[in-house]
Amino acid sequence: MADSQQFDATIFPPSISPLHVTLRELIQQMGISPDALVVVDQAGSIVMVNEQAATLFGYSSEELRKQRLEMLLPEHLHEIHTTHREHYFAEPRTRAMGAGLQLFGRHKNGTEIPVDISLRPVLLDDELVVIGAIRDMSEQYRAELERMQQAEQIRLQAELIELSHDAILIRDSVSRVIFWNKGAEELYGWSSQEALGRITNSLLKTRFPTSLAEVDAHLERDGRWEGELTHTRRDGSLVVVESRQMLVCDVQGHRTAILEINRDITERRHLEQAMQAVHAQAVARLDFLQQIMDALPGSIYLVYGSDARLLLANRAAASLWGAIWHIDQPMLEFLATNGIKIFDAQGHPLTPKYFATLRAVQEGETVLHHQETIRRPNGSSLPVLVNAVVLNSSRWENLVREEVESTTQYAPHESITLVVHQDVSALKEAEYLKDEFIGVAAHELRNPLAVLKGYAEMLVFQTARGKGPKLAAWQSEALEEIDEATSRLDKLTEDLLDVTRLQAGRLVLSREPTDLVALTRRMVTQRQMTTKQHVFSLDTEHTSLVVDVDRVRIEQVLTNLLSNAIKYSPQGGPIELTLREEVEPHATLLSIRDRGIGIPFAQQARIFGRFVRAENARTSEITGTGLGLYLSRELVERHGGRLWFESTEGEGSTFFMTLPLA
Ligand code: ADP
């Protein structure tokens, strides 16, 4: 009876006679129907169901009989269904239920089953009943849901295409535009309407990297092409695009369309070109710099990192060392592999940590005019003055970095140090001759000076003892002047002789354990007696610090430093000394601070040189020879110590001296 042919086109309302069936016939029909069938009477009670219906809803046929039809419907439909059912019985006819609507039944376990229901009224033994044929539509429902989801996805994708900033276009087999997204409208200036049907390459005046034919051949061969194109916009301006194209073919392999996505890279190209120009400029400047460096007679190079690895060197650098220092090679490794040695000004082997270059890279110290002697692989020696400066001007570094980062192992955080070596062999030669002369002159001066000093002292002494006539006041003054002048001359000749002794390596130290605290105190007391304008103070927490030194020589150094502190602070003021113990290296550190005229910055680098005096000392007419500091530093260094200073012109100077502790 689910077969619609058997029920014929029986039409209600009652003007047309309905189909009559007997219970037997009905039971038989229900048994063979493939559909789930439910027979309901006018009161809405289930008269009978077939097996399919019972299975569909998860009940047994028995369970359903005489139950209300609504138990097979979702709860929320019960009420409305009752009304519908009543209307239906008032005017029964064969029809599909809920045309155009998705109907749902309710399974015993509560889940909803999408169904399709057609209704047919029949007279069962003269009682009007309705047979509902119910078809499980779960599969179709799921398929429909999927279709709807796909449609939604396609709609979203289409929107996405419109949303893209890239120009997306589709052209047909003869290159006519058949799709033109918003991105294309924005990029090129033609609306979709204007672009559709136009031949793309003539619309956009496409310029190809090679030729259209080549791009086409590539597309044909690989199915896709990627590259840069130049297009002309509607307003005539040019735009560089990164284009991706894909060929679409039908089943026979005929080209049906080409998908094209074009991304505007004009800005990126401009930036790249600008960067290339900057890079080219940097390279040119560096090249220029290299040329200047190569043209200079002195050796100039740049090192980086705490082990002074070579970054850049001029031509003279190679001949300086007499060996090739390879880029990225650490300094000590280079020296060791080539058997190169470095000595100090006195010819003693220099400990690496005192190399000017290593002091600069490791301590960040600016080392100026440091005397070193290089013993090259072939045994020849070269006296040099080394200047090593850590570069911290970012412009300098950027210029160098640009280039070196690509060619060396240099890492951006490492500092770069500029090292300049000046060959001073000619100067050394001249100096040697000068020292020779000074030595001879000082030596020759010594004897007549001793005679002069002896007689002057004898005159003063004997007259004081009443021998000979009493001297007039002016004669006594003249004698004192002679005595003072000869003392100064004597000191000068002694200093000059010390210079020549030092130069010739003839200065011998006779060391003995000496308490530096006591020595300093004594020197301070002595000096304090010579001045009322200055106030000396010594700050130390030590009662004794014993150093192994030549006491006379260290006294000479202290005398010189203390006299300078007095001499170069003509307005007087405090002269403060501190003396303490240093741990690394284990040494005494003495500082002497004055508030005098200071040393002008421009002359600081050379102040330890021989006969060197600062400009302000000369103009203040303070007498001096410029030998004291030279001798002092030499003497301190001979003892294994160091002597240096900090000074600001017009504010004062502080001299520092270390001496190693046993
Ligand atoms: P001299 O004092 O005989 O000129 P030195 O070798 O002792 O020679 O000193 C060299 C120069 O260093 C001095 O001429 C002076 O310009 C400068 N100098 C040394 N000590 C001081 C100081 N304490 N304050 C200012 N300048 C100083």
Side-chain angles (χ1 to χ4, degrees):
M1 121 173 144
D3 182 353
S4 59
Q5 275 174 3
Q6 279 206 26
F7 283 95
D8 206 350
T10 309
I11 308 215
F12 289 80
S15 55
I16 297 157
S17 62
L19 183 73
H20 289 263
V21 286
T22 64
L23 190 59
R24 238 181 100 237
E25 283 168 338
L26 187 58
I27 292 170
Q28 195 185 4
Q29 284 297 327
M30 292 205 28
I32 57 172
S33 169
D35 284 335
L37 298 177
V38 178
V39 182
V40 185
D41 66 15
Q42 286 196 58
S45 296
I46 296 168
V47 177
M48 72 174 76
V49 296
N50 66 355
E51 223 19 69
Q52 286 85 328
T55 315
L56 177 63
F57 289 100
Y59 295 95
S60 68
S61 310
E62 279 310 303
E63 275 180 292
L64 286 174
R65 197 160 17 192
K66 296 243 167 61
Q67 296 299 324
R68 292 195 60 75
L69 173 62
E70 277 72 26
M71 81 181 284
L72 298 179
L73 298 176
E75 202 132 348
H76 63 101
L77 295 176
H78 287 185
E79 201 171 319
I80 182 123
H81 187 266
T82 312
T83 324
H84 280 166
R85 183 167 43 76
E86 281 161 5
H87 279 150
Y88 182 83
F89 274 101
E91 199 182 335
R93 55 198 165 88
T94 302
R95 65 163 171 86
M97 214 182 119
L101 290 177
Q102 180 59 60
L103 303 176
F104 289 94
R106 182 177 180 279
H107 191 273
K108 188 180 180 182
N109 66 12
T111 54
E112 293 189 5
I113 315 163
V115 291
D116 195 25
I117 306 174
S118 37
L119 302 174
R120 183 173 228 320
V122 292
L123 288 172
L124 172 65
D125 297 335
D126 290 334
E127 190 194 335
L128 181 61
V129 293
V130 171
I131 304 173
I134 305 158
R135 192 159 286 167
D136 180 0
M137 300 298 284
S138 301
E139 274 310 308
Q140 289 84 335
Y141 182 68
R142 203 171 304 127
E144 176 64 7
L145 261 186
E146 258 171 40
R147 196 193 55 72
M148 273 161 52
Q149 276 170 353
Q150 274 172 5
E152 178 61 4
Q153 219 169 349
I154 289 170
R155 191 186 65 78
L156 288 177
Q157 281 171 357
E159 252 177 47
L160 203 66
I161 288 174
E162 287 301 353
L163 212 69
S164 161
H165 281 301
D166 292 341
I168 300 176
L169 44 136
I170 306 176
R171 40 199 174 91
D172 65 11
S173 55
V174 289
S175 255
R176 276 180 318 220
V177 177
I178 55 173
F179 176 77
W180 186 262
N181 79 336
K182 283 236 164 51
E185 290 185 341
E186 280 160 16
L187 178 62
Y188 296 118
W190 284 282
S191 70
S192 168
Q193 254 182 342
E194 290 167 318
L196 291 180
R198 306 280 297 270
I199 305 285
T200 45
N201 292 336
S202 51
L203 178 69
L204 301 173
K205 301 196 182 82
T206 313
R207 287 189 216 159
F208 295 91
T210 46
S211 67
L212 169 61
E214 202 154 300
V215 173
D216 264 349
H218 198 285
L219 262 174
E220 211 64 59
R221 193 182 63 235
D222 296 352
R224 48 178 66 230
W225 178 85
E226 276 186 37
E228 252 180 60
L229 298 173
T230 305
H231 285 147
T232 306
R233 291 190 180 100
R234 184 179 200 166
D235 64 9
S237 61
L238 295 179
V239 53
V240 184
V241 298
E242 190 176 68
S243 182
R244 289 171 169 204
Q245 305 190 2
M246 199 183 102
L247 195 63
V248 181
C249 293
D250 61 15
V251 276
Q252 278 92 40
H254 297 132
R255 161 198 288 233
T256 56
I258 289 157
L259 310 181
E260 188 172 327
I261 300 183
N262 297 333
R263 173 165 294 178
D264 182 0
I265 54 163
T266 318
E267 197 62 19
R268 196 166 89 196
R269 275 285 159 279
H270 283 165
L271 271 175
E272 279 168 10
Q273 279 163 2
M275 272 167 68
Q276 273 166 8
V278 170
H279 181 73
Q281 244 179 19
V283 171
R285 259 187 275 159
L286 201 69
D287 192 45
F288 181 59
L289 188 74
Q290 180 80 49
Q291 281 184 31
I292 295 178
M293 276 170 63
D294 281 345
L296 291 173
S299 127
I300 300 171
Y301 52 88
L302 295 173
V303 290
Y304 69 97
S306 57
D307 50 356
R309 273 163 286 159
L310 186 68
L311 200 57
L312 208 84
N314 74 343
R315 218 172 279 143
S319 50
L320 171 95
W321 297 107
I324 294 182
W325 185 353
H326 296 287
I327 299 293
D328 290 327
Q329 191 178 24
M331 181 181 193
L332 293 182
E333 186 193 302
F334 160 68
L335 298 181
T337 20
N338 293 287
I340 300 172
K341 297 234 151 38
I342 296 185
F343 297 86
D344 65 11
Q346 288 72 44
H348 303 299
L350 203 60
T351 322
K353 68 173 179 182
Y354 294 122
F355 291 0
T357 309
L358 293 181
R359 265 164 60 193
V361 296
Q362 285 167 4
E363 315 290 334
E365 200 184 326
T366 294
V367 186
L368 298 173
H369 295 101
H370 190 251
Q371 284 192 43
E372 289 177 8
T373 300
I374 298 171
R375 170 96 54 75
R376 295 144 149 173
N378 65 5
S380 64
S381 288
L382 187 72
V384 286
L385 276 185
V386 191
N387 295 288
V389 187
V390 181
L391 298 181
N392 44 22
S393 144
S394 52
R395 281 183 66 200
W396 234 106
E397 285 182 79
N398 285 345
L399 174 66
V400 179
R401 274 185 179 145
E402 278 258 342
E403 183 64 2
V404 299
E405 261 173 33
S406 53
T407 53
T408 71
Q409 292 165 11
Y410 169 77
H413 65 271
E414 293 175 298
S415 59
I416 299 179
T417 299
L418 171 72
V419 186
V420 179
H421 277 97
Q422 194 185 343
D423 174 357
V424 288
S425 351
L427 280 176
K428 279 269 159 190
E429 183 62 21
E431 224 168 57
Y432 173 76
L433 292 174
K434 193 174 73 185
D435 289 344
E436 281 285 288
F437 169 75
I438 290 172
V440 173
H443 198 77
E444 290 307 313
L445 264 174
R446 222 179 175 188
N447 290 337
L449 202 59
V451 175
L452 204 62
K453 197 169 161 52
Y455 278 114
E457 276 169 3
M458 189 184 81
L459 265 172
V460 175
F461 182 68
Q462 296 294 17
T463 314
R465 285 182 61 203
K467 293 252 169 125
K470 203 169 173 330
L471 294 180
W474 65 269
Q475 285 171 320
S476 300
E477 263 172 43
L479 266 178
E480 267 165 38
E481 288 284 330
I482 291 171
D483 189 42
E484 241 174 62
T486 46
S487 294
R488 279 210 304 272
L489 262 176
D490 191 38
K491 162 108 175 50
L492 176 62
T493 47
E494 271 314 311
D495 281 354
L496 287 174
L497 283 169
D498 276 349
V499 170
T500 51
R501 278 185 204 118
L502 278 168
Q503 290 299 311
R506 273 190 282 109
L507 192 125
V508 185
L509 299 178
S510 29
R511 293 177 186 253
E512 56 186 318
T514 308
D515 178 5
L516 198 63
V517 180
L519 180 68
T520 311
R521 265 194 217 293
R522 188 158 50 74
M523 302 297 299
V524 166
T525 315
Q526 265 180 21
R527 287 295 116 187
Q528 184 64 80
M529 287 198 296
T530 66
T531 173
K532 287 203 171 67
Q533 271 180 301
H534 303 88
V535 181
F536 278 88
S537 64
L538 170 61
D539 177 15
T540 182
E541 59 184 28
H542 300 278
T543 44
S544 133
L545 282 170
V546 179
V547 283
D548 191 29
V549 294
D550 184 326
R551 194 181 44 79
V552 177
R553 290 303 186 182
I554 294 304
E555 262 183 35
Q556 183 182 343
V557 172
L558 288 180
T559 307
N560 183 46
L561 295 179
L562 295 175
S563 309
N564 279 354
I566 296 172
K567 195 160 69 165
Y568 295 108
S569 44
Q571 308 294 328
I575 296 175
E576 296 151 332
L577 285 81
T578 65
L579 180 56
R580 57 171 207 261
E581 188 178 342
E582 291 278 282
V583 182
E584 193 51 50
H586 194 208
T588 57
L589 172 65
L590 174 70
S591 71
I592 302 168
R593 178 178 181 202
D594 66 54
R595 309 288 164 87
I597 60 172
I599 302 172
F601 181 75
Q603 280 127 50
Q604 290 188 1
R606 297 194 55 240
I607 211 73
F608 285 102
R610 276 174 290 163
F611 307 107
V612 178
R613 305 202 64 218
E615 205 51 49
N616 58 348
R618 290 178 198 279
T619 49
S620 312
E621 292 182 356
I622 302 172
T623 56
T625 59
L627 282 176
L629 283 186
Y630 165 75
L631 287 174
S632 299
R633 180 185 254 187
E634 290 291 324
L635 289 171
V636 170
E637 288 185 356
R638 292 288 149 111
H639 281 89
R642 283 180 66 206
L643 181 65
W644 74 99
F645 68 91
E646 286 163 7
S647 182
T648 308
E649 188 176 8
E651 287 181 19
S653 315
T654 308
F655 279 79
F656 300 91
M657 176 182 82
T658 63
L659 285 173
L661 273 159

